[in-house]
Amino acid sequence: EMEAKYTKKMQALRDELDLRRKTEIHEVEERKNSQISELMRNHEKAFSDMKNYYNDITLKNLALISLLKEQMEEMKKRESHLEKEKADVLLQNKQLKEPLQQAQEQVSELQKKLAHHDKEKEALTNTKARLKVTQKELKDLQWEHEVLEQRFSKVQAERDELYQKFTKAITEVQQKTGFKNLLLERKLKGLLGVLEKKEVELSEVFAASNLEPGALSLVSHKLEDVLNSKNATIEDLQLQLARACKAHDDMLRTFEAKLTAFGIPLDTLGFKPLACPGLGQ
C-alpha cells in the first residue's frame, strides 16, 4: 500500500514535471517562432528597401545614360556644325590673309609714326617744362644776386668800419700796454737794484759791526722778513706784468682772427703789431 502510494505520487510528480517541461518547451518554441517571424519580417523589409533602392539607382542610371546619349548626339551634331564653320572660317582666313597682312603692315607703320610723334610731343613738353623751370631759376638767381650784392655792400661797409675800429683799438691798446709794461719793468728793475744795494750795505754793516750772536740773529730775521716782503712785491709785479702781456697777446690773436675772417690781409694795416716781450727780455 505504501509502495502504491509512493508510486502514485511519483507518477503524479512525473506527470506534473512533464507537463511543466512541455509548457516551457511550448513557450520557448512560441518565443522562437515569434523571433523568427520578427527576423523574417525585418529581413523582408530590408530586402524590399534594398530592392527599391537599387531599382531607383537603376532607373536613375538609365535616365542618366539616356540623357548622356542625347547629349552625345547633340555634341556630335554641334561638332559637325563647328567643323563646317571651321572649314568656312579657314577659307575666309585664307582669303583675308593677304589683306590682313597689308593692313598689319600699315598699322605697324602708323604705330611707328605715332610713337615718333609722341616722342616729339613729349620732348616738346619736357623742353617747355625745363624752360619754365630754367626761367624761374634765372629769376631766383637774379633776385639772389641782387640780395647778395646788397649784403656784400653792407658787409663791405661793416668790414671797413670794423677795420677802422680794430686799427684804432689795437693802436690804443698797444700804446697803453706798452706804457704799462715799461712802467712795470722800470719799477721791477728799480726794486731789484735797491734790493741788491741794500744787501751790499747790509753785508758791509755786518762785517764792520761786532754784534753779539743773539742780536745778529735778530737783525738777520728782521732782514729776512723785509727781504721776503720785497720778494713777494717783486713776484706780484712780475705776475701783473705776465697778465698784461697775456691780455695783449690774446687781443692781438683775436684781432688777427677777425681780420682773417673778413678777408683783410695783415699787410694792409700799415704797421706790424708788437708782441709782448717775455719777462726775461
PDB file of all heavy atoms in Angstrom, residues 2-3 8 34 47 69 74 90 130 137 157 177 184 194 200 215 219 229 235 244 257 274:
ATOM      1  N   MET A   2       1.914   1.257   0.812  1.00  0.00           N
ATOM      2  CA  MET A   2       2.822   2.396   0.865  1.00  0.00           C
ATOM      3  C   MET A   2       3.530   2.543  -0.475  1.00  0.00           C
ATOM      4  O   MET A   2       3.688   3.650  -1.005  1.00  0.00           O
ATOM      5  CB  MET A   2       3.854   2.184   1.971  1.00  0.00           C
ATOM      6  CG  MET A   2       3.283   2.347   3.365  1.00  0.00           C
ATOM      7  SD  MET A   2       2.892   4.045   3.731  1.00  0.00           S
ATOM      8  CE  MET A   2       4.515   4.669   3.859  1.00  0.00           C
ATOM      9  N   GLU A   3       3.946   1.433  -1.002  1.00  0.00           N
ATOM     10  CA  GLU A   3       4.633   1.469  -2.281  1.00  0.00           C
ATOM     11  C   GLU A   3       3.719   1.989  -3.360  1.00  0.00           C
ATOM     12  O   GLU A   3       4.131   2.800  -4.206  1.00  0.00           O
ATOM     13  CB  GLU A   3       5.127   0.061  -2.621  1.00  0.00           C
ATOM     14  CG  GLU A   3       5.954   0.044  -3.902  1.00  0.00           C
ATOM     15  CD  GLU A   3       6.453  -1.360  -4.175  1.00  0.00           C
ATOM     16  OE1 GLU A   3       6.222  -2.265  -3.371  1.00  0.00           O
ATOM     17  OE2 GLU A   3       7.107  -1.511  -5.232  1.00  0.00           O
ATOM     18  N   LYS A   8       2.220   6.155  -6.865  1.00  0.00           N
ATOM     19  CA  LYS A   8       1.211   7.091  -7.385  1.00  0.00           C
ATOM     20  C   LYS A   8       1.713   8.537  -7.298  1.00  0.00           C
ATOM     21  O   LYS A   8       1.561   9.323  -8.228  1.00  0.00           O
ATOM     22  CB  LYS A   8      -0.086   6.894  -6.599  1.00  0.00           C
ATOM     23  CG  LYS A   8      -1.250   7.714  -7.153  1.00  0.00           C
ATOM     24  CD  LYS A   8      -2.516   7.418  -6.364  1.00  0.00           C
ATOM     25  CE  LYS A   8      -3.682   8.205  -6.919  1.00  0.00           C
ATOM     26  NZ  LYS A   8      -4.943   7.939  -6.169  1.00  0.00           N
ATOM     27  N   SER A  34       8.203  33.474 -32.654  1.00  0.00           N
ATOM     28  CA  SER A  34       7.935  34.925 -32.710  1.00  0.00           C
ATOM     29  C   SER A  34       9.181  35.706 -33.201  1.00  0.00           C
ATOM     30  O   SER A  34       9.087  36.593 -34.043  1.00  0.00           O
ATOM     31  CB  SER A  34       7.497  35.423 -31.333  1.00  0.00           C
ATOM     32  OG  SER A  34       7.318  36.805 -31.372  1.00  0.00           O
ATOM     33  N   PHE A  47      15.117  43.713 -47.387  1.00  0.00           N
ATOM     34  CA  PHE A  47      15.268  43.296 -48.766  1.00  0.00           C
ATOM     35  C   PHE A  47      14.432  44.170 -49.688  1.00  0.00           C
ATOM     36  O   PHE A  47      14.870  44.564 -50.775  1.00  0.00           O
ATOM     37  CB  PHE A  47      14.865  41.826 -48.889  1.00  0.00           C
ATOM     38  CG  PHE A  47      14.976  41.297 -50.278  1.00  0.00           C
ATOM     39  CD1 PHE A  47      16.215  41.003 -50.838  1.00  0.00           C
ATOM     40  CD2 PHE A  47      13.832  41.109 -51.066  1.00  0.00           C
ATOM     41  CE1 PHE A  47      16.305  40.531 -52.130  1.00  0.00           C
ATOM     42  CE2 PHE A  47      13.935  40.638 -52.360  1.00  0.00           C
ATOM     43  CZ  PHE A  47      15.174  40.342 -52.896  1.00  0.00           C
ATOM     44  N   LYS A  69      23.352  59.982 -73.727  1.00  0.00           N
ATOM     45  CA  LYS A  69      23.287  59.633 -75.147  1.00  0.00           C
ATOM     46  C   LYS A  69      22.746  60.793 -75.953  1.00  0.00           C
ATOM     47  O   LYS A  69      23.276  61.128 -77.026  1.00  0.00           O
ATOM     48  CB  LYS A  69      22.411  58.400 -75.332  1.00  0.00           C
ATOM     49  CG  LYS A  69      23.069  57.103 -74.911  1.00  0.00           C
ATOM     50  CD  LYS A  69      22.146  55.916 -75.167  1.00  0.00           C
ATOM     51  CE  LYS A  69      22.816  54.588 -74.795  1.00  0.00           C
ATOM     52  NZ  LYS A  69      21.910  53.440 -75.047  1.00  0.00           N
ATOM     53  N   GLU A  74      23.797  65.401 -79.434  1.00  0.00           N
ATOM     54  CA  GLU A  74      23.783  66.852 -79.650  1.00  0.00           C
ATOM     55  C   GLU A  74      25.197  67.372 -79.877  1.00  0.00           C
ATOM     56  O   GLU A  74      25.448  68.228 -80.744  1.00  0.00           O
ATOM     57  CB  GLU A  74      23.149  67.537 -78.432  1.00  0.00           C
ATOM     58  CG  GLU A  74      23.006  69.044 -78.556  1.00  0.00           C
ATOM     59  CD  GLU A  74      21.996  69.423 -79.624  1.00  0.00           C
ATOM     60  OE1 GLU A  74      21.106  68.595 -79.937  1.00  0.00           O
ATOM     61  OE2 GLU A  74      22.086  70.564 -80.141  1.00  0.00           O
ATOM     62  N   LEU A  90      38.392  78.927 -92.069  1.00  0.00           N
ATOM     63  CA  LEU A  90      39.715  78.742 -92.662  1.00  0.00           C
ATOM     64  C   LEU A  90      39.759  79.280 -94.075  1.00  0.00           C
ATOM     65  O   LEU A  90      40.745  79.906 -94.489  1.00  0.00           O
ATOM     66  CB  LEU A  90      40.099  77.262 -92.632  1.00  0.00           C
ATOM     67  CG  LEU A  90      40.405  76.666 -91.252  1.00  0.00           C
ATOM     68  CD1 LEU A  90      40.630  75.155 -91.358  1.00  0.00           C
ATOM     69  CD2 LEU A  90      41.640  77.345 -90.661  1.00  0.00           C
ATOM     70  N   ARG A 130      61.193 122.352 -68.816  1.00  0.00           N
ATOM     71  CA  ARG A 130      62.541 122.756 -68.415  1.00  0.00           C
ATOM     72  C   ARG A 130      62.757 124.252 -68.619  1.00  0.00           C
ATOM     73  O   ARG A 130      63.439 124.913 -67.829  1.00  0.00           O
ATOM     74  CB  ARG A 130      63.579 121.958 -69.213  1.00  0.00           C
ATOM     75  CG  ARG A 130      63.702 120.494 -68.783  1.00  0.00           C
ATOM     76  CD  ARG A 130      64.993 119.879 -69.285  1.00  0.00           C
ATOM     77  NE  ARG A 130      65.049 119.862 -70.735  1.00  0.00           N
ATOM     78  CZ  ARG A 130      64.610 118.857 -71.491  1.00  0.00           C
ATOM     79  NH1 ARG A 130      64.065 117.802 -70.916  1.00  0.00           N
ATOM     80  NH2 ARG A 130      64.688 118.901 -72.805  1.00  0.00           N
ATOM     81  N   GLU A 137      64.370 129.558 -62.245  1.00  0.00           N
ATOM     82  CA  GLU A 137      65.684 129.540 -61.595  1.00  0.00           C
ATOM     83  C   GLU A 137      66.459 130.810 -61.914  1.00  0.00           C
ATOM     84  O   GLU A 137      67.160 131.350 -61.050  1.00  0.00           O
ATOM     85  CB  GLU A 137      66.468 128.312 -62.050  1.00  0.00           C
ATOM     86  CG  GLU A 137      65.911 127.001 -61.518  1.00  0.00           C
ATOM     87  CD  GLU A 137      66.673 125.803 -62.030  1.00  0.00           C
ATOM     88  OE1 GLU A 137      67.541 126.016 -62.912  1.00  0.00           O
ATOM     89  OE2 GLU A 137      66.412 124.673 -61.567  1.00  0.00           O
ATOM     90  N   ALA A 157      80.807 147.603 -45.980  1.00  0.00           N
ATOM     91  CA  ALA A 157      80.747 148.761 -45.096  1.00  0.00           C
ATOM     92  C   ALA A 157      81.059 148.368 -43.660  1.00  0.00           C
ATOM     93  O   ALA A 157      81.827 149.046 -42.961  1.00  0.00           O
ATOM     94  CB  ALA A 157      79.364 149.416 -45.197  1.00  0.00           C
ATOM     95  N   THR A 177      99.348 149.294 -23.296  1.00  0.00           N
ATOM     96  CA  THR A 177     100.041 148.114 -22.803  1.00  0.00           C
ATOM     97  C   THR A 177     101.543 148.332 -22.781  1.00  0.00           C
ATOM     98  O   THR A 177     102.226 147.949 -21.830  1.00  0.00           O
ATOM     99  CB  THR A 177      99.701 146.909 -23.686  1.00  0.00           C
ATOM    100  OG1 THR A 177      98.282 146.753 -23.746  1.00  0.00           O
ATOM    101  CG2 THR A 177     100.295 145.627 -23.123  1.00  0.00           C
ATOM    102  N   LEU A 184     106.053 148.931 -15.404  1.00  0.00           N
ATOM    103  CA  LEU A 184     106.249 147.771 -14.521  1.00  0.00           C
ATOM    104  C   LEU A 184     107.685 147.273 -14.586  1.00  0.00           C
ATOM    105  O   LEU A 184     108.281 146.919 -13.561  1.00  0.00           O
ATOM    106  CB  LEU A 184     105.283 146.649 -14.923  1.00  0.00           C
ATOM    107  CG  LEU A 184     103.803 146.896 -14.611  1.00  0.00           C
ATOM    108  CD1 LEU A 184     102.956 145.782 -15.212  1.00  0.00           C
ATOM    109  CD2 LEU A 184     103.566 146.958 -13.107  1.00  0.00           C
ATOM    110  N   VAL A 194     117.583 148.327  -5.887  1.00  0.00           N
ATOM    111  CA  VAL A 194     117.560 148.734  -4.465  1.00  0.00           C
ATOM    112  C   VAL A 194     117.850 147.531  -3.580  1.00  0.00           C
ATOM    113  O   VAL A 194     118.600 147.629  -2.586  1.00  0.00           O
ATOM    114  CB  VAL A 194     116.202 149.373  -4.121  1.00  0.00           C
ATOM    115  CG1 VAL A 194     116.088 149.599  -2.619  1.00  0.00           C
ATOM    116  CG2 VAL A 194     116.046 150.693  -4.858  1.00  0.00           C
ATOM    117  N   VAL A 200     124.177 144.662  -0.243  1.00  0.00           N
ATOM    118  CA  VAL A 200     125.613 145.010  -0.145  1.00  0.00           C
ATOM    119  C   VAL A 200     125.875 145.851   1.101  1.00  0.00           C
ATOM    120  O   VAL A 200     126.818 145.611   1.865  1.00  0.00           O
ATOM    121  CB  VAL A 200     126.069 145.758  -1.412  1.00  0.00           C
ATOM    122  CG1 VAL A 200     127.495 146.296  -1.246  1.00  0.00           C
ATOM    123  CG2 VAL A 200     126.004 144.812  -2.609  1.00  0.00           C
ATOM    124  N   ALA A 215     121.939 139.217  18.937  1.00  0.00           N
ATOM    125  CA  ALA A 215     121.480 140.424  18.246  1.00  0.00           C
ATOM    126  C   ALA A 215     121.620 140.265  16.749  1.00  0.00           C
ATOM    127  O   ALA A 215     120.754 140.682  15.962  1.00  0.00           O
ATOM    128  CB  ALA A 215     122.286 141.635  18.738  1.00  0.00           C
ATOM    129  N   VAL A 219     118.624 140.615  14.038  1.00  0.00           N
ATOM    130  CA  VAL A 219     118.686 141.513  12.884  1.00  0.00           C
ATOM    131  C   VAL A 219     118.537 140.714  11.588  1.00  0.00           C
ATOM    132  O   VAL A 219     117.865 141.153  10.634  1.00  0.00           O
ATOM    133  CB  VAL A 219     120.019 142.297  12.897  1.00  0.00           C
ATOM    134  CG1 VAL A 219     120.189 143.088  11.602  1.00  0.00           C
ATOM    135  CG2 VAL A 219     120.071 143.230  14.088  1.00  0.00           C
ATOM    136  N   SER A 229     109.229 140.187   2.162  1.00  0.00           N
ATOM    137  CA  SER A 229     108.175 141.111   1.751  1.00  0.00           C
ATOM    138  C   SER A 229     108.489 141.721   0.390  1.00  0.00           C
ATOM    139  O   SER A 229     107.618 141.829  -0.498  1.00  0.00           O
ATOM    140  CB  SER A 229     108.007 142.203   2.813  1.00  0.00           C
ATOM    141  OG  SER A 229     107.052 143.148   2.384  1.00  0.00           O
ATOM    142  N   GLU A 235     107.418 139.446  -6.948  1.00  0.00           N
ATOM    143  CA  GLU A 235     106.657 138.374  -7.606  1.00  0.00           C
ATOM    144  C   GLU A 235     105.280 138.862  -8.051  1.00  0.00           C
ATOM    145  O   GLU A 235     104.801 138.504  -9.138  1.00  0.00           O
ATOM    146  CB  GLU A 235     106.501 137.187  -6.646  1.00  0.00           C
ATOM    147  CG  GLU A 235     107.815 136.445  -6.414  1.00  0.00           C
ATOM    148  CD  GLU A 235     107.628 135.311  -5.411  1.00  0.00           C
ATOM    149  OE1 GLU A 235     106.498 135.166  -4.908  1.00  0.00           O
ATOM    150  OE2 GLU A 235     108.601 134.579  -5.161  1.00  0.00           O
ATOM    151  N   ALA A 244      99.378 141.243 -18.032  1.00  0.00           N
ATOM    152  CA  ALA A 244      99.251 142.297 -19.043  1.00  0.00           C
ATOM    153  C   ALA A 244      99.767 141.811 -20.400  1.00  0.00           C
ATOM    154  O   ALA A 244      99.148 142.058 -21.451  1.00  0.00           O
ATOM    155  CB  ALA A 244     100.004 143.548 -18.599  1.00  0.00           C
ATOM    156  N   ALA A 257      92.511 137.158 -36.044  1.00  0.00           N
ATOM    157  CA  ALA A 257      91.457 136.219 -36.457  1.00  0.00           C
ATOM    158  C   ALA A 257      90.289 136.962 -37.104  1.00  0.00           C
ATOM    159  O   ALA A 257      89.720 136.515 -38.108  1.00  0.00           O
ATOM    160  CB  ALA A 257      90.972 135.404 -35.258  1.00  0.00           C
ATOM    161  N   LEU A 274     103.180 144.789 -32.292  1.00  0.00           N
ATOM    162  CA  LEU A 274     104.277 144.315 -31.488  1.00  0.00           C
ATOM    163  C   LEU A 274     103.786 143.291 -30.495  1.00  0.00           C
ATOM    164  O   LEU A 274     102.778 143.498 -29.818  1.00  0.00           O
ATOM    165  CB  LEU A 274     104.916 145.495 -30.729  1.00  0.00           C
ATOM    166  CG  LEU A 274     105.552 146.560 -31.616  1.00  0.00           C
ATOM    167  CD1 LEU A 274     106.042 147.718 -30.751  1.00  0.00           C
ATOM    168  CD2 LEU A 274     106.710 145.982 -32.406  1.00  0.00           C
TER     169      LEU A 274
END
